[in-house]
Amino acid sequence: MPPLMPFFTDYWHLCLVAAVIGLIALDYARRFIGPALKLKTDLHRVHAQLLVLTTQSLSQPIDLAQLKNEVMGSPALQHAWQQYASTLQPQWQAADAGPLGAARQRVSHLSRAFFGHMGSSGGRLDLSNIEQLAQNDPQLAQVWREYSQALESLQQLESSAASISGKWQASSHADLYFTEQALVDTPLQSNFYKHIPGILTGVGIIGTFTGLIAGLVGFDVSNPERVQTELSQLVQTVGHAFLVSALAITLAMVFTWIEKSVLTGRYRQVEELQQALDTLFTPQGGTSSVERLTLATEMQAALSYKILNQLRATATGSTQR
């Protein structure tokens, strides 16, 4: 160690610049390269699990809460998932399709049978005491029990469909929520670390000028006998300064290549994640919305027509009396 002391004493400025370059490289590796490798692993795992869910979605229901807790591991992924999950809804189908549609048809049929049987006796119906009225007629009581059971089954089916569905559908594409900015740029602080190559180049230039200034300040031409020694010392100082600058520029080029490669790979993984989500939760187009709006309009028109006919029948009966 003692032989190194004169070197550090004569070239302390270059040693300081080299130490700064080393600290920048260590920080770059710890805060950018390390998190980028971890993000690579997380995105690969999420994509693989989404592909598994895509193959199982036809036979098994998808639990959105379980998907959030077990698949979306990082805070950035969970935040994006919470926003994206608000756009999910059970895939639209006709009101009379599937088990839910069959339950609705049975409730509607029993409702018509029950109220039709009650209305056949004539007079005014007191709906506030409907259960007591049904108990007075054995046939009516049987229909009422079947109607109550069918209505309870319908409610259970609708409540279970609200939390677990085999076919969820998104109202928008996944790239609106799982963005490159939210999943890659912000966690990796890429907007800051993309300037590291420029900072390294600037540090190298500072090291060069520091070596030149230190060599020129120490260059003494007053003693002709020491000019040769002073000149040799100046050349060595300048050579070391350019060596430090070359090291900084080389690291800047290497860091630029690493940064572009890492970000390109993570962006590609985000695109694969977006495609997997769009495959699993097919975004609905305008045709589906138009069909649902048309069906709702037709149902409202039919209900209005039925109410109008009942009002006309009531008015006609009152006139005849």
Side-chain angles (χ1 to χ4, degrees):
M1 293 301 294
L4 295 177
M5 292 304 297
F7 178 83
F8 289 114
T9 302
D10 297 335
Y11 302 105
W12 62 268
H13 48 282
L14 298 180
C15 294
L16 180 60
V17 173
V20 171
I21 294 175
L23 291 176
I24 292 175
L26 289 176
D27 181 78
Y28 188 81
R30 184 172 67 90
R31 297 192 177 184
F32 182 78
I33 302 300
L37 295 177
K38 183 178 183 301
L39 180 61
K40 176 183 179 181
T41 303
D42 292 341
L43 291 177
H44 178 74
R45 176 184 56 79
V46 171
H47 181 256
Q49 292 179 342
L50 288 177
L51 292 181
V52 173
L53 289 177
T54 302
T55 58
Q56 296 178 353
S57 61
L58 298 177
S59 59
Q60 298 180 4
I62 299 176
D63 190 341
L64 299 183
Q66 183 180 4
L67 192 152
K68 173 189 173 182
N69 296 328
E70 297 182 1
V71 178
M72 304 296 171
S74 66
L77 285 170
Q78 288 193 354
H79 179 70
W81 171 255
Q82 287 178 352
Q83 295 180 329
Y84 180 71
S86 62
T87 68
L88 299 179
Q89 56 188 357
Q91 189 173 21
W92 180 82
Q93 57 183 357
D96 56 350
L100 191 59
R104 288 171 178 169
Q105 288 182 350
R106 177 169 175 78
V107 169
S108 178
H109 175 72
L110 292 173
S111 176
R112 288 195 299 268
F114 177 77
F115 288 102
H117 187 76
M118 288 190 66
S120 63
S121 58
R124 184 176 179 180
L125 297 177
D126 186 6
L127 299 181
S128 61
N129 199 20
I130 192 171
E131 293 187 6
Q132 184 176 357
L133 294 174
Q135 296 300 327
N136 297 330
D137 188 342
Q139 183 178 1
L140 194 60
Q142 179 64 26
V143 177
W144 173 254
R145 284 192 297 270
E146 293 179 1
Y147 173 73
S148 300
Q149 294 174 358
L151 187 60
E152 184 178 357
S153 300
L154 176 61
Q155 291 176 348
Q156 292 177 354
L157 285 174
E158 290 178 343
S159 62
S160 61
S163 59
I164 298 178
S165 176
K167 294 182 179 180
W168 287 96
Q169 191 171 41
S171 60
S172 58
H173 291 274
D175 57 1
L176 296 178
Y177 304 94
F178 292 85
T179 61
E180 297 173 352
Q181 177 68 32
L183 299 183
V184 179
D185 293 335
T186 299
L188 297 183
Q189 305 179 43
S190 61
N191 289 331
F192 171 76
Y193 285 102
K194 70 180 180 181
H195 298 294
I196 291 296
I199 295 175
L200 285 173
T201 303
V203 171
I205 294 174
I206 292 175
T208 301
F209 280 101
T210 302
L212 289 174
I213 293 172
L216 291 175
V217 169
F219 186 69
D220 185 11
V221 295
S222 61
N223 188 356
E225 297 179 356
R226 291 183 54 83
V227 170
Q228 187 68 26
T229 304
E230 293 291 337
L231 184 60
S232 176
Q233 184 70 22
L234 175 62
V235 171
Q236 290 181 6
T237 303
V238 173
H240 289 103
F242 277 108
L243 181 62
V244 172
S245 179
L247 174 63
I249 294 175
T250 302
L251 286 178
M253 296 174 62
V254 172
F255 283 6
T256 300
W257 181 81
I258 292 175
E259 180 217 354
K260 300 305 179 184
S261 301
V262 167
L263 292 181
T264 301
R266 300 302 80 74
Y267 291 157
R268 182 172 59 252
Q269 286 185 298
V270 171
E271 291 179 0
E272 293 174 351
L273 174 62
Q274 295 169 355
Q275 294 173 1
L277 287 171
D278 287 338
T279 302
L280 184 60
F281 307 106
T282 307
Q284 64 181 0
T287 305
S288 178
S289 300
V290 171
E291 290 178 354
R292 299 180 65 178
L293 181 60
T294 302
L295 179 61
T297 303
E298 292 177 352
M299 293 177 63
Q300 185 176 5
L303 181 60
S304 300
Y305 182 74
K306 184 181 296 186
I307 294 174
L308 181 60
N309 288 337
Q310 291 178 353
L311 291 175
R312 288 177 178 175
T314 303
T316 302
S318 301
T319 304
Q320 292 178 354
R321 292 178 183 177

